Amino acid sequence: MSRRSKLKFMALAITVAAVSMARANGETEFSSPDGIPAEVWRYFVPRDNPVTPAKVELGRLLFFDKKLSVDGSVSCASCHDPKLAFTDGKPVAEGVAGRLGKRNSPTLLNSMFNAGQFWDGRAESLEAQAIQPLINPDEMGNKSHDQVVGRLRAIPQYAARFKKVFGSEITIDLVAKAVASFERTLVSANSPFDRFAGGDLDAMSEEARRGFALFRGKARCTVCHSVSQFSLQAFPFMTDQMFHNTGVAVNDRSFEPLAGLLSRAGKNVTAPEEMISIARREGSASLGRFLSTGDSLDIGAFRTPSLRDVELTAPYFHDGSAKTLADVVKFYMKGGKNNLNRDWELQSLTLTETEQQELIEFLKSLTSDNTRRMAAAEYARATLRH
Ligand code: HEC
Ligand code: HEC
């Protein structure tokens, strides 16, 4: 984790007082939901891209617009559909001309709080992330950012809106700023768990409460999906924002041979640049965090995802290999999948059928009211006609 993200994360972990949103400088009308303190939300909004209602609306229009893809067939929402908590329900993403990607489409809810974007954290910010799908051949398929900008400039409504919001003609950086601002309104909390954490002990069923005890206790989930013993609101996303190898990567056959080679070359220190570029060329998406850091300890490591709304985001893991939450729990009972770089904290678990069900009930208590509201088509309303 970079120093900056570590600082951000600490701020998130220690800021627990919920306050109502101050509307400093008339910047925003957005108010963060219960469970995520408004100060935390504000902290994660970059100074050079304040959230304003007009910018959010522009970002929303872009997000749902298929014109962003090379053949007009795919929008951001094709893979991040509000009805499915901003996922697509598929094991791996499907882009233009039915091309299959290598990874599962993550939810965008609360993505603004991620220590880095993508399963391997390789993009520093939502802005840096937003321009990548546009030119990914397996996603939106454009040849260049200029191609996208050219297409948007030819649409008078967009030209006018960019002028109004940014006082400028359309550039790729401004497209990114608008889309990222929209994404910063995709915040989800207000779940039964948040009400429970706020003192309403009946907000979670007895089964879910027993599941929570297992989650923190015998099932050892909080080793990575963090919960503070002092304040249930201190880690609102149940992630340590770190990268771990749980063994999901082993599903990819090319993983172990390549991982073995790289580990030997790196001997647990940073692998030589040439090895990293070989790995990138091989395109082994299962090498995970290693592709960003070149650190052999990061081979096959992926970001601990937030568990909010996880009930609605199947299938699971970076490769979509677990169909249900029951499959996820079974995976952990085996201690994940063994491999050279598996996280040493993982160990096999004994959980009865009832206990497994309780753990799942707990995970379901993390589904937020906001998410259900966003699924109700409101966000896809009125796309731009052009
Ligand atoms: C073809 C499907 C597809 C399209 C289209 C697509 N995405 Fe994604 N998105 C994905 C996949 C798959 C990942 C994870 C990729 C990875 O980790 O390497 C992802 C990751 C992300 C992330 C990082 C979230 C996280 O938890 O790390 C954000 C943010 C995001 N997409 C936003 C967008 C935006 C904005 C657009 C439109 C400009 C878009 N996506 C278009 C499939 C898609
Ligand atoms: C060693 C750290 C670690 C532990 C312990 C751990 N997890 Fe995870 N969890 C992760 C990582 C990393 C991923 C992503 C793995 C991947 O996709 O390659 C993940 C993924 C998940 C997912 C899928 C989320 C999604 O959006 O796809 C669920 C659900 C989950 N974990 C629940 C649990 C539960 C329940 C436990 C306890 C039984 C647990 N985890 C224990 C690190 C951990």
Side-chain angles (χ1 to χ4, degrees):
M1 194 161 28
S2 72
R3 232 190 107 194
R4 213 177 93 208
S5 40
K6 219 177 234 162
L7 282 175
K8 277 190 177 179
F9 185 52
M10 275 167 58
L12 183 60
I14 57 182
T15 315
V16 292
V19 292
S20 63
M21 186 77 160
R23 288 183 54 192
N25 316 325
E27 264 174 17
T28 177
E29 286 167 2
F30 180 74
S31 59
S32 59
D34 287 352
I36 298 181
E39 297 159 332
V40 171
W41 182 82
R42 289 177 65 79
Y43 188 82
F44 280 78
V45 177
R47 271 167 208 263
D48 66 351
N49 191 20
V51 174
T52 67
K55 203 192 290 173
V56 168
E57 178 58 11
L58 175 56
R60 191 183 68 77
L61 291 171
L62 293 165
F63 186 86
F64 286 100
D65 200 334
K66 295 184 173 172
K67 274 264 160 69
L68 262 55
S69 64
V70 70
D71 60 0
S73 66
V74 170
S75 71
C76 306
S78 306
C79 303
H80 303 287
D81 180 352
K83 290 200 199 64
L84 294 170
F86 295 87
T87 62
D88 56 12
K90 297 168 187 163
V92 295
E94 209 176 305
V96 289
R99 296 188 61 152
L100 291 184
K102 297 192 179 65
R103 290 193 181 153
N104 179 257
S105 307
T107 180
L108 302 189
L109 291 163
N110 301 320
S111 57
M112 68 178 284
F113 304 110
N114 289 340
Q117 301 299 331
F118 291 124
W119 281 98
D120 48 17
R122 70 185 180 278
E124 263 279 298
S125 64
L126 285 176
E127 283 80 357
Q129 191 285 329
I131 60 174
Q132 300 197 22
L134 300 170
I135 52 166
N136 183 327
D138 295 333
E139 297 188 339
M140 301 173 103
N142 294 289
K143 293 205 168 47
S144 66
H145 286 135
D146 286 347
Q147 194 184 18
V148 185
V149 169
R151 210 179 308 121
L152 292 178
R153 281 187 183 168
I155 301 169
Q157 292 100 315
Y158 274 128
R161 279 179 187 262
F162 275 84
K163 188 107 211 139
K164 195 166 144 235
V165 173
F166 296 107
S168 157
E169 61 175 359
I170 304 176
T171 66
I172 199 65
D173 289 345
L174 297 180
V175 170
K177 282 187 165 177
V179 170
S181 296
F182 168 66
E183 290 174 307
R184 292 195 174 95
T185 66
L186 307 180
V187 175
S188 131
N190 241 342
S191 66
F193 174 77
D194 296 296
R195 292 189 275 280
F196 173 82
D200 176 2
L201 299 186
D202 294 328
M204 266 162 71
S205 69
E206 209 183 310
E207 217 184 353
R209 280 181 302 199
R210 277 201 295 267
F212 185 39
L214 289 164
F215 186 81
R216 295 213 273 186
K218 185 166 128 181
R220 308 184 78 246
C221 310
T222 50
V223 167
C224 305
H225 298 283
S226 316
V227 171
S228 156
Q229 66 185 110
F230 302 110
S231 163
L232 295 187
Q233 289 156 331
F235 292 93
F237 308 106
M238 297 190 178
T239 160
D240 54 4
Q241 303 276 7
M242 305 279 274
F243 300 84
H244 301 274
N245 174 325
T246 60
V248 176
V250 181
N251 292 334
D252 179 348
R253 279 187 199 176
S254 68
F255 173 74
E256 290 212 285
L258 203 50
L261 195 75
L262 293 167
S263 290
R264 281 193 296 278
K267 296 209 173 53
N268 286 349
V269 291
T270 303
E273 194 53 46
E274 116 211 41
M275 296 303 286
I276 303 170
S277 57
I278 292 174
R280 288 209 181 105
R281 250 201 331 275
E282 294 279 323
S284 183
S286 55
L287 289 172
R289 183 70 176 157
F290 172 81
L291 293 173
S292 295
T293 61
D295 185 336
S296 336
L297 293 172
D298 286 334
I299 291 175
F302 291 85
R303 190 186 60 217
T304 310
S306 159
L307 294 181
R308 285 192 178 272
D309 304 305
V310 77
E311 175 187 8
L312 307 176
T313 64
Y316 303 105
F317 296 144
H318 75 267
D319 61 356
S321 58
K323 283 202 181 66
T324 62
L325 289 173
D327 293 342
V328 171
V329 172
K330 292 238 152 54
F331 172 88
Y332 284 114
M333 286 174 66
K334 293 195 198 109
K337 277 197 183 157
N338 199 12
N339 69 90
L340 212 59
N341 298 76
R342 183 178 60 167
D343 195 294
W344 60 273
E345 288 277 14
L346 283 168
Q347 48 186 254
S348 53
L349 308 166
T350 312
L351 299 170
T352 65
E353 287 289 331
T354 313
E355 286 172 332
Q356 293 171 46
Q357 197 47 47
E358 288 166 347
L359 207 45
I360 293 168
E361 282 310 306
F362 163 65
L363 294 173
K364 288 184 178 170
S365 77
L366 295 167
T367 307
S368 132
D369 299 350
N370 310 45
T371 306
R372 297 200 196 278
R373 187 173 50 72
M374 287 184 221
E378 185 187 335
Y379 279 76
R381 79 187 185 279
T383 40
L384 203 62
R385 285 176 191 280
H386 45 70

